[in-house]
Structures are given as structure tokens and as C-alpha cells.
């Protein structure tokens, strides 16, 4: 499962950097207009899922508990992104 968490973290981090750069430079492709809140929640959830899962897995938690922590982290971040 650590590979799944790592892949989620890398994809989410790359998407987050691309999102920041695209918004910062403006231009024709603005992810805020194209994807909006749903896109921000997905990107934030992917980063949080990866970070939560890797932290719990390398912290010695059982695999089921690590998956639960990763899922909870993704849900909390997705909710928080929607409130800001």
C-alpha cells in the first residue's frame, strides 16, 4: 500500500504545482474556471491521502489503520478546501 500512497502524493503534488503555476501566470487555461471547487478538492485530497497514508504506514500502524488514516485525512482536507 505504500506505493499507492506514494503515487497519490506525487500525482497530487505535481497537480498542485501545476495548478499554482497556471493560476499565477494566467492565460487561457485557468484551472479555477475549468475545474473549480471539485478540482481543488481532488488535488487536496490526493496530497492528504498520500501524506496520511505514508505517515501512518511508516509509523508502524497496521495496514487497515493506515488506510483509515489516509482516507480520513483526504476527507478532512477535501472538506476544508471547500470552506475556504
Amino acid at each position: 500500500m505504500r506505493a499507492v500512497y506514494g503515487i497519490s502524493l506525487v500525482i497530487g503534488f505535481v497537480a498542485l504545482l501545476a495548478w499554482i503555476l497556471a493560476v499565477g501566470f494566467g492565460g487561457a487555461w485557468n484551472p479555477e474556471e475549468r475545474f473549480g471547487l471539485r478540482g481543488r478538492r481532488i488535488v487536496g485530497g490526493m496530497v492528504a491521502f498520500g501524506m496520511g497514508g505514508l505517515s501512518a504506514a511508516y509509523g508502524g500502524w497496521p495496514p487497515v489503520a493506515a488506510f483509515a488514516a489516509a482516507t480520513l485525512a483526504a476527507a478532512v482536507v477535501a472538506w476544508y478546501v471547500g470552506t475556504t
Side-chain angles (χ1 to χ4, degrees):
M1 277 304 284
R2 290 179 183 170
V4 173
Y5 302 137
I7 291 169
S8 173
L9 179 61
V10 169
I11 291 173
F13 184 70
V14 169
L16 179 62
L17 287 177
W19 191 290
I20 291 169
L21 291 174
V23 169
F25 288 126
W29 193 80
N30 186 356
E32 288 292 329
E33 294 173 0
R34 185 168 183 176
F35 301 112
L37 179 59
R38 179 175 289 150
R40 282 187 277 148
R41 284 184 169 171
I42 290 171
V43 170
M46 287 183 73
V47 171
F49 182 81
M51 289 182 72
L54 283 175
S55 297
Y58 281 110
W61 292 22
V64 174
F67 182 75
T71 304
L72 180 64
V76 168
V77 167
W79 168 80
Y80 179 74
V81 167
T83 61
T84 58

